[in-house]
Amino acid sequence: MTIAVLISVVLSLAVSTCLCIWIFKRKENKRLAIFFGFLVNSLLLISVAIFFYKLDSQFFHYRAMGLFESLGILAFPFFIPILTCVNFYILQSVRKTTIG
């Protein structure tokens, strides 16, 4: 996986996690927080995919060297549900620490 994909995915995870925790602390609604986390992940990762595609369409050409390398530009949308699931588990642990 190239460093650009890794940085983009980690940055999207960090931003969506901070937003999820902030919304959960303010509204006490886990579903709303996960929904906004999903929206942020979707907007960030799809816009990054479009940006890299416009920058250089050969940048993410298929080089079958690994699981995520073979996805090419589709690596960004592939991580949307994965990051949403990670946000869910982080929010679950935050909820347990605030309750108990």
Side-chain angles (χ1 to χ4, degrees), residues 27-58:
K27 300 287 184 182
E28 291 294 326
N29 190 348
K30 187 169 69 170
R31 289 184 184 181
L32 183 66
I34 292 297
F35 176 71
F36 276 106
F38 175 76
L39 283 178
V40 166
N41 284 331
S42 298
L43 289 174
L44 284 177
L45 291 177
I46 290 174
S47 63
V48 167
I50 292 170
F51 172 75
F52 279 124
Y53 184 74
K54 296 283 185 183
L55 183 69
D56 186 15
S57 63
Q58 301 296 322

Side-chain angles (χ1 to χ4, degrees), residues 4-15:
V5 173
L6 187 62
I7 289 172
S8 301
V9 169
V10 169
L11 182 66
S12 177
L13 177 65
V15 169

Side-chain angles (χ1 to χ4, degrees), residues 78-97:
F78 177 78
F79 276 104
I80 292 171
I82 295 171
L83 294 181
T84 304
C85 184
V86 170
N87 282 337
F88 175 78
Y89 288 122
I90 290 172
L91 202 59
Q92 189 72 16
S93 68
V94 166
R95 190 178 95 172
K96 286 183 180 179
T97 58

